[in-house]
Coordinates of all heavy atoms in Angstrom, one line a residue:
L1468 N 6.2 -65.1 -3.4 CA 7.1 -65.3 -4.5 C 6.5 -64.5 -5.7 O 7.3 -64.4 -6.7 CB 7.1 -66.8 -4.9 CG 7.9 -67.7 -3.9 CD1 7.7 -69.2 -4.3 CD2 9.3 -67.3 -3.8
G1469 N 5.3 -64.1 -5.7 CA 4.7 -63.3 -6.8 C 4.5 -64.1 -8.1 O 4.6 -63.6 -9.1
L1470 N 4.1 -65.3 -7.9 CA 3.8 -66.2 -9.1 C 2.3 -66.1 -9.4 O 1.6 -67.1 -9.4 CB 4.2 -67.6 -8.8 CG 5.6 -67.8 -8.3 CD1 5.9 -69.3 -8.0 CD2 6.6 -67.3 -9.3
F1471 N 1.8 -64.9 -9.7 CA 0.4 -64.7 -9.9 C -0.2 -65.4 -11.1 O -1.4 -65.7 -11.1 CB 0.2 -63.2 -10.1 CG 0.7 -62.4 -8.9 CD1 1.8 -61.5 -9.1 CD2 0.1 -62.5 -7.7 CE1 2.3 -60.8 -8.0 CE2 0.6 -61.7 -6.6 CZ 1.6 -60.9 -6.8
D1472 N 0.6 -65.7 -12.1 CA 0.1 -66.5 -13.3 C 0.4 -67.9 -13.3 O 0.1 -68.7 -14.2 CB 0.6 -65.8 -14.6 CG 2.2 -66.0 -14.6 OD1 2.8 -66.2 -13.6 OD2 2.7 -65.8 -15.8
Y1473 N 0.9 -68.4 -12.1 CA 1.4 -69.8 -12.0 C 0.3 -70.8 -12.4 O 0.5 -71.7 -13.2 CB 1.9 -70.1 -10.6 CG 2.5 -71.5 -10.5 CD1 3.8 -71.7 -11.0 CD2 1.8 -72.6 -10.0 CE1 4.4 -73.0 -10.9 CE2 2.4 -73.8 -9.8 CZ 3.7 -74.0 -10.3 OH 4.3 -75.3 -10.2
L1474 N -0.9 -70.6 -11.9 CA -2.0 -71.6 -12.2 C -2.6 -71.4 -13.6 O -3.3 -72.3 -14.1 CB -3.1 -71.5 -11.1 CG -2.6 -71.9 -9.7 CD1 -3.8 -71.7 -8.7 CD2 -2.2 -73.3 -9.7
D1475 N -2.3 -70.3 -14.2 CA -2.6 -70.2 -15.6 C -1.7 -71.0 -16.5 O -2.1 -71.5 -17.6 CB -2.6 -68.7 -16.1 CG -3.6 -67.8 -15.4 OD1 -4.7 -68.4 -15.0 OD2 -3.3 -66.6 -15.2
V1476 N -0.5 -71.1 -16.1 CA 0.5 -71.9 -16.9 C 0.6 -73.3 -16.5 O 0.6 -74.2 -17.4 CB 1.9 -71.2 -16.7 CG1 3.0 -72.0 -17.4 CG2 1.9 -69.8 -17.2
V1477 N 0.6 -73.6 -15.2 CA 0.7 -75.0 -14.7 C -0.7 -75.5 -14.4 O -1.4 -75.0 -13.5 CB 1.6 -75.0 -13.4 CG1 1.6 -76.4 -12.8 CG2 3.0 -74.5 -13.8
K1478 N -1.1 -76.5 -15.1 CA -2.4 -77.1 -14.9 C -2.5 -78.2 -13.9 O -3.6 -78.5 -13.4 CB -2.9 -77.6 -16.3 CG -3.0 -76.6 -17.4 CD -3.8 -75.4 -16.9 CE -3.8 -74.3 -18.0 NZ -4.3 -73.1 -17.5
R1479 N -1.4 -78.8 -13.5 CA -1.3 -79.8 -12.4 C -0.3 -79.4 -11.4 O 0.8 -80.0 -11.5 CB -1.0 -81.2 -13.0 CG -1.2 -82.3 -12.0 CD -1.0 -83.7 -12.7 NE -1.1 -84.7 -11.6 CZ 0.0 -85.2 -11.0 NH1 1.2 -84.9 -11.4 NH2 -0.2 -86.1 -10.1
P1480 N -0.6 -78.5 -10.5 CA 0.4 -78.1 -9.6 C 0.8 -79.2 -8.6 O -0.1 -80.0 -8.2 CB -0.3 -76.9 -8.8 CG -1.7 -76.9 -9.2 CD -1.9 -77.8 -10.4
M1481 N 2.0 -79.2 -8.3 CA 2.6 -80.2 -7.3 C 3.8 -79.6 -6.7 O 4.6 -78.9 -7.4 CB 2.9 -81.5 -8.0 CG 3.4 -82.6 -7.0 SD 2.3 -82.9 -5.5 CE 0.8 -83.4 -6.3
D1482 N 4.0 -79.8 -5.4 CA 5.2 -79.2 -4.7 C 5.7 -80.2 -3.7 O 5.0 -81.2 -3.3 CB 4.8 -77.9 -4.0 CG 3.7 -78.1 -3.0 OD1 4.0 -78.4 -1.8 OD2 2.5 -77.9 -3.4
L1483 N 6.9 -80.0 -3.2 CA 7.5 -81.0 -2.3 C 6.8 -81.0 -0.9 O 6.8 -82.0 -0.3 CB 9.0 -80.6 -2.2 CG 9.8 -80.8 -3.4 CD1 11.3 -80.4 -3.2 CD2 9.8 -82.3 -3.9
G1484 N 6.2 -79.9 -0.6 CA 5.5 -79.9 0.7 C 4.2 -80.8 0.6 O 3.9 -81.5 1.6
T1485 N 3.6 -80.8 -0.5 CA 2.4 -81.7 -0.7 C 2.9 -83.1 -0.7 O 2.2 -84.0 -0.1 CB 1.7 -81.3 -2.0 OG1 1.2 -80.0 -1.9 CG2 0.5 -82.3 -2.2
I1486 N 4.0 -83.4 -1.3 CA 4.5 -84.8 -1.4 C 4.9 -85.2 0.1 O 4.5 -86.3 0.5 CB 5.8 -84.8 -2.3 CG1 5.3 -84.6 -3.7 CG2 6.5 -86.1 -2.1 CD1 6.5 -84.5 -4.7
R1487 N 5.5 -84.3 0.8 CA 5.8 -84.7 2.2 C 4.6 -85.0 3.0 O 4.5 -85.9 3.8 CB 6.6 -83.5 2.9 CG 7.0 -83.8 4.3 CD 7.7 -82.6 4.9 NE 8.1 -82.9 6.2 CZ 8.9 -82.1 6.9 NH1 9.3 -81.0 6.4 NH2 9.2 -82.5 8.2
T1488 N 3.5 -84.2 2.9 CA 2.3 -84.4 3.6 C 1.7 -85.7 3.2 O 1.2 -86.5 4.1 CB 1.3 -83.2 3.2 OG1 1.8 -82.0 3.7 CG2 -0.1 -83.4 3.9
R1489 N 1.7 -86.0 1.9 CA 1.1 -87.3 1.4 C 1.9 -88.5 1.9 O 1.4 -89.5 2.3 CB 1.0 -87.3 -0.1 CG -0.1 -86.4 -0.6 CD -0.3 -86.5 -2.0 NE -1.0 -87.8 -2.3 CZ -1.2 -88.4 -3.4 NH1 -0.7 -87.8 -4.5 NH2 -1.8 -89.5 -3.5
L1490 N 3.3 -88.3 2.0 CA 4.1 -89.4 2.6 C 3.8 -89.6 4.0 O 3.7 -90.8 4.5 CB 5.6 -89.0 2.4 CG 6.2 -89.3 1.0 CD1 7.6 -88.8 1.0 CD2 6.2 -90.8 0.7
N1491 N 3.6 -88.5 4.8 CA 3.3 -88.6 6.2 C 1.9 -89.3 6.4 O 1.8 -90.1 7.3 CB 3.3 -87.3 6.9 CG 4.7 -86.8 7.1 OD1 5.7 -87.6 7.2 ND2 4.9 -85.5 7.2
A1492 N 1.0 -89.0 5.5 CA -0.3 -89.7 5.6 C -0.2 -91.1 5.3 O -0.8 -92.0 5.9 CB -1.3 -89.0 4.6
T1493 N 0.7 -91.5 4.3 CA 0.9 -92.9 4.0 C 1.5 -93.6 5.2 O 1.1 -94.7 5.5 CB 1.9 -93.0 2.8 OG1 1.3 -92.3 1.7 CG2 2.1 -94.4 2.4
L1494 N 2.5 -93.0 5.9 CA 3.2 -93.6 7.0 C 2.2 -93.7 8.2 O 2.5 -94.6 9.1 CB 4.4 -92.8 7.4 CG 5.5 -92.8 6.4 CD1 6.6 -91.8 6.8 CD2 6.1 -94.2 6.1
S1495 N 1.2 -92.9 8.3 CA 0.3 -93.0 9.4 C -0.8 -94.1 9.2 O -1.6 -94.3 10.1 CB -0.4 -91.6 9.6 OG -1.4 -91.4 8.6
L1496 N -0.7 -94.8 8.1 CA -1.7 -95.9 7.9 C -1.3 -97.0 8.8 O -0.2 -97.3 9.0 CB -1.6 -96.4 6.5 CG -2.2 -95.4 5.4 CD1 -2.0 -96.1 4.0 CD2 -3.7 -95.2 5.6
G1497 N -2.3 -97.6 9.4 CA -2.1 -98.8 10.2 C -1.9 -100.0 9.3 O -2.0 -99.9 8.1
S1498 N -1.6 -101.1 9.9 CA -1.4 -102.3 9.1 C -2.7 -102.8 8.4 O -2.6 -103.5 7.4 CB -0.9 -103.5 10.0 OG -1.9 -103.7 11.0
S1499 N -3.8 -102.3 8.9 CA -5.1 -102.6 8.2 C -5.3 -101.7 7.0 O -6.3 -102.0 6.2 CB -6.2 -102.5 9.2 OG -6.4 -101.1 9.5
G1500 N -4.5 -100.7 6.8 CA -4.7 -99.8 5.6 C -5.6 -98.7 6.0 O -6.0 -97.9 5.1
V1501 N -6.1 -98.6 7.2 CA -7.0 -97.5 7.6 C -6.2 -96.4 8.2 O -5.3 -96.6 9.1 CB -8.0 -98.0 8.6 CG1 -8.9 -96.9 9.1 CG2 -8.8 -99.2 8.0
Q1502 N -6.4 -95.2 7.7 CA -5.7 -94.0 8.2 C -6.0 -93.7 9.7 O -7.2 -93.7 10.1 CB -6.0 -92.8 7.4 CG -5.0 -91.7 7.6 CD -5.1 -90.7 6.4 OE1 -5.8 -90.8 5.5 NE2 -4.2 -89.7 6.5
K1503 N -5.0 -93.6 10.5 CA -5.1 -93.4 11.9 C -5.5 -91.9 12.3 O -6.1 -91.6 13.3 CB -3.8 -93.7 12.7 CG -3.5 -95.2 12.6 CD -2.2 -95.3 13.4 CE -1.5 -96.7 13.1 NZ -0.2 -96.8 13.7
T1504 N -5.0 -91.0 11.5 CA -5.2 -89.6 11.7 C -6.3 -89.0 10.9 O -6.5 -89.5 9.8 CB -3.9 -88.8 11.5 OG1 -3.5 -89.0 10.1 CG2 -2.8 -89.2 12.4
K1505 N -6.9 -87.9 11.3 CA -7.9 -87.3 10.6 C -7.4 -86.6 9.4 O -6.4 -85.9 9.4 CB -8.6 -86.2 11.5 CG -9.8 -85.6 10.8 CD -10.5 -84.6 11.8 CE -11.6 -83.9 11.1 NZ -12.2 -82.9 12.0
K1506 N -8.0 -86.8 8.2 CA -7.6 -86.1 7.0 C -8.3 -84.8 6.9 O -9.5 -84.7 7.0 CB -8.1 -87.1 5.8 CG -7.4 -86.8 4.6 CD -7.7 -87.8 3.5 CE -8.8 -88.7 3.6 NZ -9.1 -89.5 2.5
S1507 N -7.5 -83.7 6.6 CA -8.1 -82.4 6.6 C -8.2 -81.8 5.2 O -8.8 -80.8 5.0 CB -7.3 -81.4 7.5 OG -6.0 -81.3 7.0
S1508 N -7.5 -82.5 4.2 CA -7.6 -81.9 2.9 C -7.3 -83.0 1.9 O -6.7 -84.1 2.2 CB -6.6 -80.8 2.7 OG -5.3 -81.2 2.6
Q1509 N -7.5 -82.7 0.6 CA -7.3 -83.6 -0.5 C -5.8 -83.9 -0.6 O -5.4 -85.0 -0.9 CB -7.7 -83.0 -1.8 CG -7.5 -83.8 -3.0 CD -8.4 -85.0 -3.1 OE1 -9.3 -85.2 -2.3 NE2 -8.1 -85.9 -4.1
Q1510 N -4.9 -83.0 -0.2 CA -3.5 -83.1 -0.3 C -3.0 -84.2 0.7 O -1.9 -84.7 0.5 CB -2.8 -81.8 0.0 CG -3.0 -80.8 -1.0 CD -2.3 -79.5 -0.7 OE1 -2.0 -79.3 0.5 NE2 -2.1 -78.7 -1.6
Q1511 N -3.8 -84.6 1.7 CA -3.3 -85.6 2.6 C -3.7 -87.0 2.3 O -3.5 -87.9 3.1 CB -3.8 -85.2 4.0 CG -3.2 -84.0 4.6 CD -3.5 -83.7 6.0 OE1 -4.4 -84.4 6.6 NE2 -2.9 -82.7 6.6
N1512 N -4.2 -87.2 1.1 CA -4.4 -88.6 0.6 C -3.1 -89.3 0.6 O -2.2 -88.9 0.1 CB -5.1 -88.6 -0.8 CG -6.5 -88.1 -0.7 OD1 -7.2 -88.1 0.3 ND2 -7.0 -87.6 -1.9
P1513 N -3.1 -90.5 1.2 CA -1.9 -91.3 1.2 C -1.6 -91.9 -0.1 O -2.5 -92.0 -1.0 CB -2.2 -92.4 2.2 CG -3.7 -92.5 2.2 CD -4.2 -91.2 2.0
Y1514 N -0.3 -92.1 -0.4 CA 0.1 -92.8 -1.6 C -0.3 -94.2 -1.6 O -0.2 -94.9 -0.5 CB 1.6 -92.7 -1.8 CG 2.1 -91.3 -2.2 CD1 2.8 -90.5 -1.3 CD2 1.8 -90.8 -3.5 CE1 3.2 -89.2 -1.7 CE2 2.2 -89.5 -3.8 CZ 2.9 -88.7 -3.0 OH 3.3 -87.5 -3.3
T1515 N -0.8 -94.7 -2.7 CA -1.2 -96.1 -2.7 C -0.2 -97.0 -3.5 O -0.3 -98.2 -3.5 CB -2.6 -96.2 -3.5 OG1 -2.5 -95.6 -4.7 CG2 -3.7 -95.6 -2.6
S1516 N 0.8 -96.3 -4.1 CA 1.9 -97.0 -4.8 C 3.1 -96.2 -5.0 O 3.0 -94.9 -4.9 CB 1.4 -97.5 -6.2 OG 1.2 -96.4 -7.0
I1517 N 4.2 -96.8 -5.2 CA 5.4 -96.1 -5.5 C 5.3 -95.3 -6.8 O 5.9 -94.3 -7.0 CB 6.7 -97.0 -5.5 CG1 8.0 -96.2 -5.5 CG2 6.6 -98.0 -6.6 CD1 8.3 -95.5 -4.3
V1518 N 4.5 -95.8 -7.7 CA 4.3 -95.2 -9.0 C 3.6 -93.8 -8.8 O 3.9 -92.8 -9.5 CB 3.5 -96.1 -10.0 CG1 3.1 -95.4 -11.2 CG2 4.3 -97.4 -10.3
A1519 N 2.6 -93.8 -7.9 CA 1.9 -92.5 -7.6 C 2.9 -91.5 -7.0 O 2.9 -90.3 -7.4 CB 0.8 -92.7 -6.7
F1520 N 3.7 -91.9 -6.1 CA 4.8 -91.1 -5.5 C 5.7 -90.6 -6.6 O 6.0 -89.4 -6.7 CB 5.5 -91.8 -4.4 CG 6.8 -91.2 -4.0 CD1 6.7 -90.1 -3.1 CD2 8.0 -91.6 -4.4 CE1 7.9 -89.4 -2.7 CE2 9.2 -91.0 -4.0 CZ 9.1 -89.9 -3.1
E1521 N 6.2 -91.4 -7.4 CA 7.1 -91.1 -8.5 C 6.5 -90.1 -9.4 O 7.1 -89.1 -9.9 CB 7.5 -92.3 -9.3 CG 8.5 -92.1 -10.4 CD 8.8 -93.4 -11.1 OE1 8.0 -93.8 -11.9 OE2 9.9 -94.0 -10.8
A1522 N 5.2 -90.2 -9.8 CA 4.5 -89.3 -10.7 C 4.5 -87.9 -10.1 O 4.6 -86.9 -10.8 CB 3.1 -89.8 -11.0
D1523 N 4.2 -87.8 -8.8 CA 4.2 -86.5 -8.1 C 5.5 -85.8 -8.1 O 5.6 -84.6 -8.4 CB 3.7 -86.6 -6.7 CG 2.1 -86.7 -6.6 OD1 1.5 -86.5 -7.6 OD2 1.6 -86.9 -5.5
V1524 N 6.6 -86.6 -7.8 CA 8.0 -86.0 -7.8 C 8.3 -85.5 -9.2 O 8.8 -84.4 -9.4 CB 9.0 -87.0 -7.3 CG1 10.4 -86.5 -7.5 CG2 8.7 -87.4 -5.9
E1525 N 8.0 -86.4 -10.2 CA 8.3 -86.0 -11.6 C 7.5 -84.7 -12.0 O 8.0 -83.8 -12.7 CB 7.9 -87.1 -12.6 CG 8.2 -86.8 -14.0 CD 8.0 -87.9 -15.0 OE1 7.3 -88.9 -14.6 OE2 8.4 -87.8 -16.1
Q1526 N 6.2 -84.6 -11.5 CA 5.4 -83.4 -11.8 C 6.0 -82.1 -11.3 O 5.9 -81.1 -11.9 CB 4.0 -83.6 -11.2 CG 3.0 -82.6 -11.8 CD 2.8 -82.8 -13.3 OE1 2.5 -83.9 -13.7 NE2 2.9 -81.7 -14.0
V1527 N 6.7 -82.2 -10.1 CA 7.4 -81.0 -9.6 C 8.4 -80.5 -10.6 O 8.4 -79.3 -10.9 CB 8.0 -81.3 -8.2 CG1 8.9 -80.2 -7.8 CG2 7.0 -81.7 -7.2
F1528 N 9.2 -81.4 -11.1 CA 10.2 -80.9 -12.0 C 9.7 -80.6 -13.4 O 10.2 -79.6 -14.0 CB 11.3 -82.0 -12.1 CG 12.1 -82.2 -10.8 CD1 11.7 -83.1 -9.9 CD2 13.1 -81.3 -10.6 CE1 12.4 -83.2 -8.7 CE2 13.8 -81.4 -9.3 CZ 13.4 -82.3 -8.4
L1529 N 8.7 -81.2 -13.9 CA 8.0 -80.8 -15.1 C 7.4 -79.5 -15.0 O 7.5 -78.6 -15.9 CB 6.9 -81.9 -15.5 CG 7.4 -83.2 -15.9 CD1 6.3 -84.2 -16.1 CD2 8.3 -83.1 -17.2
N1530 N 6.8 -79.2 -13.9 CA 6.2 -77.8 -13.7 C 7.3 -76.8 -13.6 O 7.1 -75.7 -14.1 CB 5.4 -77.8 -12.4 CG 4.1 -78.6 -12.5 OD1 3.7 -79.0 -13.5 ND2 3.5 -78.9 -11.3
C1531 N 8.4 -77.1 -13.0 CA 9.5 -76.2 -12.9 C 10.0 -75.8 -14.4 O 10.2 -74.6 -14.6 CB 10.7 -76.8 -12.2 SG 12.2 -75.8 -12.1
L1532 N 10.1 -76.8 -15.2 CA 10.6 -76.5 -16.6 C 9.5 -75.8 -17.4 O 9.8 -75.0 -18.2 CB 11.0 -77.8 -17.3 CG 12.1 -78.6 -16.6 CD1 12.4 -79.9 -17.3 CD2 13.3 -77.8 -16.5
L1533 N 8.2 -76.1 -17.1 CA 7.2 -75.5 -17.8 C 7.0 -74.0 -17.5 O 6.9 -73.1 -18.4 CB 5.8 -76.2 -17.5 CG 4.6 -75.6 -18.1 CD1 4.6 -75.8 -19.7 CD2 3.3 -76.4 -17.6
Y1534 N 7.1 -73.7 -16.2 CA 6.9 -72.3 -15.8 C 8.0 -71.4 -15.9 O 7.9 -70.2 -16.3 CB 6.4 -72.3 -14.3 CG 6.0 -71.0 -13.8 CD1 4.8 -70.4 -14.2 CD2 6.9 -70.2 -13.1 CE1 4.4 -69.2 -13.8 CE2 6.5 -68.9 -12.6 CZ 5.3 -68.4 -13.0 OH 4.9 -67.1 -12.6
N1535 N 9.2 -71.8 -15.7 CA 10.4 -71.0 -15.8 C 11.0 -70.9 -17.2 O 10.8 -71.8 -18.0 CB 11.5 -71.5 -14.8 CG 10.9 -71.3 -13.4 OD1 10.8 -70.3 -12.8 ND2 10.5 -72.5 -12.8
N1536 N 11.7 -69.8 -17.5 CA 12.3 -69.6 -18.8 C 13.6 -70.5 -18.9 O 14.4 -70.5 -17.9 CB 12.6 -68.2 -19.0 CG 11.4 -67.3 -19.1 OD1 10.4 -67.7 -19.7 ND2 11.4 -66.1 -18.5
K1537 N 13.8 -71.1 -20.0 CA 15.0 -71.9 -20.3 C 16.2 -71.0 -20.1 O 16.3 -69.8 -20.5 CB 15.0 -72.4 -21.7 CG 15.9 -73.5 -22.0 CD 15.7 -74.1 -23.4 CE 16.4 -75.4 -23.5 NZ 16.1 -76.0 -24.8
G1538 N 17.1 -71.5 -19.3 CA 18.4 -70.7 -19.0 C 18.3 -70.0 -17.7 O 19.4 -69.6 -17.1
D1539 N 17.1 -69.8 -17.1 CA 17.0 -69.2 -15.8 C 17.6 -70.2 -14.7 O 17.5 -71.4 -14.9 CB 15.6 -68.9 -15.4 CG 15.0 -67.7 -16.1 OD1 15.8 -66.9 -16.8 OD2 13.8 -67.4 -16.1
P1540 N 18.1 -69.6 -13.6 CA 18.7 -70.5 -12.6 C 17.7 -71.5 -12.1 O 18.0 -72.7 -11.8 CB 19.1 -69.5 -11.5 CG 19.4 -68.3 -12.2 CD 18.4 -68.2 -13.4
V1541 N 16.4 -71.1 -11.9 CA 15.4 -72.1 -11.4 C 15.2 -73.2 -12.4 O 15.0 -74.3 -12.1 CB 14.1 -71.3 -11.0 CG1 13.0 -72.3 -10.6 CG2 14.4 -70.3 -9.9
Y1542 N 15.1 -72.8 -13.7 CA 14.9 -73.8 -14.7 C 16.1 -74.8 -14.7 O 15.9 -76.0 -14.8 CB 14.8 -73.1 -16.1 CG 14.6 -74.0 -17.3 CD1 13.3 -74.2 -17.8 CD2 15.7 -74.7 -17.8 CE1 13.1 -75.1 -18.9 CE2 15.5 -75.6 -18.9 CZ 14.2 -75.7 -19.4 OH 14.0 -76.6 -20.5
M1543 N 17.3 -74.2 -14.6 CA 18.4 -75.1 -14.6 C 18.5 -76.0 -13.4 O 18.9 -77.2 -13.6 CB 19.7 -74.2 -14.7 CG 19.8 -73.4 -15.9 SD 19.8 -74.3 -17.5 CE 21.3 -75.1 -17.4
A1544 N 18.0 -75.6 -12.3 CA 17.9 -76.4 -11.1 C 17.0 -77.6 -11.3 O 17.1 -78.7 -10.8 CB 17.5 -75.6 -9.9
G1545 N 15.9 -77.4 -12.1 CA 14.9 -78.4 -12.3 C 15.3 -79.3 -13.5 O 14.6 -80.3 -13.7
A1546 N 16.2 -78.9 -14.3 CA 16.6 -79.7 -15.5 C 17.4 -80.9 -15.1 O 18.1 -81.0 -14.2 CB 17.3 -78.8 -16.5

């Protein structure tokens, strides 16, 4: 995508792929709350609350508005 300056602008990156991974990690928890599958990265930490999930989803859209220029199609899609 050529977003070379993305991390200079966006200080808390979040994307839908990471959210999906975290949701899958959450779903893989057993009834005891112990994760059944091996965790390979920080992104696979399961959600501990709906509030944490909501914050990540909101961050995706906030980052969209922060990084893209007002009026651009991508900005409008995130607005």
Side-chain angles (χ1 to χ4, degrees):
L1468 293 172
L1470 308 177
F1471 304 109
D1472 63 341
Y1473 187 78
L1474 295 178
D1475 293 331
V1476 176
V1477 173
K1478 301 305 178 194
R1479 187 175 178 263
M1481 183 51 59
D1482 60 85
L1483 296 175
T1485 299
I1486 292 170
R1487 180 180 183 175
T1488 299
R1489 290 189 71 192
L1490 279 173
N1491 286 334
T1493 302
L1494 294 173
S1495 74
L1496 290 176
S1498 60
S1499 65
V1501 177
Q1502 196 164 0
K1503 296 178 191 175
T1504 58
K1505 183 179 178 184
K1506 200 173 11 172
S1507 63
S1508 75
Q1509 180 72 7
Q1510 292 178 340
Q1511 290 187 353
N1512 288 338
Y1514 286 111
T1515 56
S1516 70
I1517 191 70
V1518 173
F1520 167 75
E1521 182 182 79
D1523 279 354
V1524 172
E1525 182 177 15
Q1526 193 65 49
V1527 169
F1528 291 95
L1529 291 173
N1530 290 346
C1531 175
L1532 300 179
L1533 178 65
Y1534 186 76
N1535 295 286
N1536 295 318
K1537 197 171 192 174
D1539 284 350
V1541 175
Y1542 181 98
M1543 298 303 291

